[in-house]
Amino acid sequence: MKIMIEGDTEHAQLVAASKAIDEHKKKYGTGNKYPPFTYCVRYRKRLFQVEVTNSNKYHLAHVITGHRELTKVHYGERD
């Protein structure tokens, strides 16, 4: 499986993302496809939030560094 890391490419963030992927692999292995899980990882006295998602081909880690767009929020049916 491929490992992909998205977000900023600072060294500390890359280390935090790889730690989150390792923790996710310990818990779920290659199972648990598609629902994203958010992990809080502490590295060098900083706290990073990393969202990890599995699919059939890759492990994706996205470092959350700022606000996120709410493009997939469903507010109910419109008439």
Side-chain angles (χ1 to χ4, degrees), residues 2 11-12 16 24 31-33 44 46 50 68:
K2 261 184 164 176
H11 176 71
H24 190 76
N32 198 9
K33 308 284 189 235
R44 291 189 178 177
R46 290 178 62 193
V50 182
R68 300 181 72 181

Side-chain angles (χ1 to χ4, degrees), residues 4-21:
M4 297 171 60
I5 298 174
E6 291 183 351
D8 289 343
T9 56
E10 293 179 18
H11 176 71
Q13 293 174 352
L14 294 174
V15 171
S18 63
K19 282 185 178 183
I21 288 175

Side-chain angles (χ1 to χ4, degrees), residues 24-60:
H24 190 76
K25 282 183 182 179
K26 276 190 226 174
K27 282 186 178 180
Y28 302 107
T30 58
N32 198 9
K33 308 284 189 235
Y34 297 112
F37 288 91
T38 304
Y39 294 94
C40 292
V41 179
R42 185 171 298 279
Y43 180 71
R44 291 189 178 177
K45 298 181 182 179
R46 290 178 62 193
L47 187 65
F48 297 97
Q49 288 187 341
V50 182
E51 185 178 71
V52 179
T53 308
N54 282 7
S55 78
N56 292 331
K57 297 180 182 178
Y58 59 85
H59 292 285
L60 174 66

